[in-house]
């Protein structure tokens, strides 16, 4: 899932936020860098907020921190809306009250990580498999804080040569995967069904499949790509980008 987005962008090194640098003699691991950035992101959380709780190794640190501040009484009346079953389990174990978009259609703040970030702050999300719920919850948010470390920075979307995930319904998945490949074939696209345990199709929290698309070429302007993709099929358009 590629998002043409304008998030509040936080990294663990080069950032518009004043994050204290560690002493020169201290070498931090990637997970420690994620934790520093995640804790800084939680500084935007205020009592009484409805929060979108992200999924993944980076967002986990943010959820842990929110739970810690609730226990300390530094935050109150927080309502969390998780982007996956895994995050739901984590939040419940930390005592974070949870709800959903039906009860809270407008979210004050969402905090999540990203798989790729280009210089225009376009994002790839969903390699962990929670892309649909992430997209719904973060799209309903007044503010979206993205936490990444320098390993996620790319010159262009798809630049890591890793997957651009698309969640699809299981019905006739081969047909859908082939359509996706044809829509993006001008960028050297290879579309593969994501596999899980025992070589069976990976199934998302929503009961869907994921097609991982691998691109050889820079797509350029993502908004233009989205429009062009609609003209490459004679049937209903496939929206790849937001």
């Amino acid at each position: 899932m590629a998002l043409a987005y304008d998030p509040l962008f936080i990294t663990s090194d080069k950032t518009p936020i004043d994050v204290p640098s560690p002493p020169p003699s201290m070498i931090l691991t990637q997970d420690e860098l994620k934790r520093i950035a995640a804790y800084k992101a939680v500084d935007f959380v205020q009592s009484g907020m409805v929060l979108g709780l992200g999924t993944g190794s980076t967002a986990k640190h943010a959820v842990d921190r929110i739970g810690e501040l609730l226990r300390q009484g530094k935050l109150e009346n927080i309502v969390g809306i998780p982007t996956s079953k895994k995050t739901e389990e984590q939040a419940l174990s930390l005592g974070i009250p949870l709800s959903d978009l039906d009860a809270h259609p407008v979210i004050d703040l969402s905090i999540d990580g990203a798989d790729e970030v280009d210089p225009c702050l376009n994002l790839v999300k969903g390699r962990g498999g929670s892309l649909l719920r992430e997209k719904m919850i973060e799209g309903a948010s007044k503010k979206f804080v993205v936490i990444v470390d320098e390993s996620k920075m790319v010159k262009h979307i798809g630049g890591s040569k890793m997957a651009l995930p698309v969640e699809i319904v299981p019905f006739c998945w081969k047909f859908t995967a082939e359509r996706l490949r044809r829509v993006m074939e001008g960028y050297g696209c290879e579309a593969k069904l994501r596999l899980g345990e025992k070589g069976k199709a990976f199934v998302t929290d929503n009961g869907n499949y994921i097609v991982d698309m691998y691109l050889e070429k820079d797509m350029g302007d993502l908004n233009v790509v989205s429009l062009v993709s609609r003209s490459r099929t004679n049937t209903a358009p496939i929206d790849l980008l937001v």
Side-chain angles (χ1 to χ4, degrees), residues 103-123:
H104 298 278
V106 178
I107 299 173
D108 296 304
L109 171 69
S110 284
I111 300 175
D112 208 346
D115 299 307
E116 285 186 3
V117 186
D118 74 6
C120 296
L121 305 189
N122 296 309
L123 311 177

Side-chain angles (χ1 to χ4, degrees), residues 123-180:
L123 311 177
V124 170
K125 293 180 56 58
R127 288 179 186 154
S130 302
L131 55 167
L132 178 57
R133 296 190 187 190
E134 288 175 339
K135 186 173 183 179
M136 292 176 65
I137 290 170
E138 289 152 9
S141 302
K142 295 178 182 178
K143 182 178 290 186
F144 179 24
V145 179
V146 182
I147 318 165
V148 300
D149 63 81
E150 66 277 4
S151 69
K152 305 300 176 66
M153 303 296 294
V154 294
K155 293 182 179 179
H156 59 85
I157 291 300
S160 68
K161 302 301 182 183
M162 297 179 71
L164 175 65
V166 180
E167 185 165 345
I168 67 171
V169 296
F171 176 73
C172 297
W173 70 263
K174 292 182 180 180
F175 170 82
T176 305
E178 175 58 19
R179 280 194 62 198
L180 287 169

Side-chain angles (χ1 to χ4, degrees), residues 187-238:
Y187 307 102
C189 177
E190 182 180 8
K192 295 182 178 180
L193 179 70
R194 183 177 299 187
L195 301 179
E197 296 181 357
K198 298 181 180 180
K200 295 183 178 180
F202 175 87
V203 179
T204 70
D205 287 349
N206 315 297
N208 294 325
Y209 292 170
I210 292 178
V211 171
D212 286 324
M213 302 173 67
Y214 299 87
L215 305 178
E216 291 295 328
K217 300 178 182 179
D218 181 358
M219 291 186 288
D221 188 324
L222 299 187
N223 290 312
V224 173
V225 173
S226 184
L227 292 173
V228 170
S229 69
R230 298 184 182 206
S231 67
R232 291 183 177 175
T233 174
N234 293 324
T235 55
I238 299 175

Side-chain angles (χ1 to χ4, degrees), residues 29-42:
T29 66
Q30 185 178 21
D31 190 63
E32 289 169 333
L33 292 171
K34 290 179 180 180
R35 180 172 53 81
I36 290 171
Y39 277 36
K40 189 64 183 180
V42 175

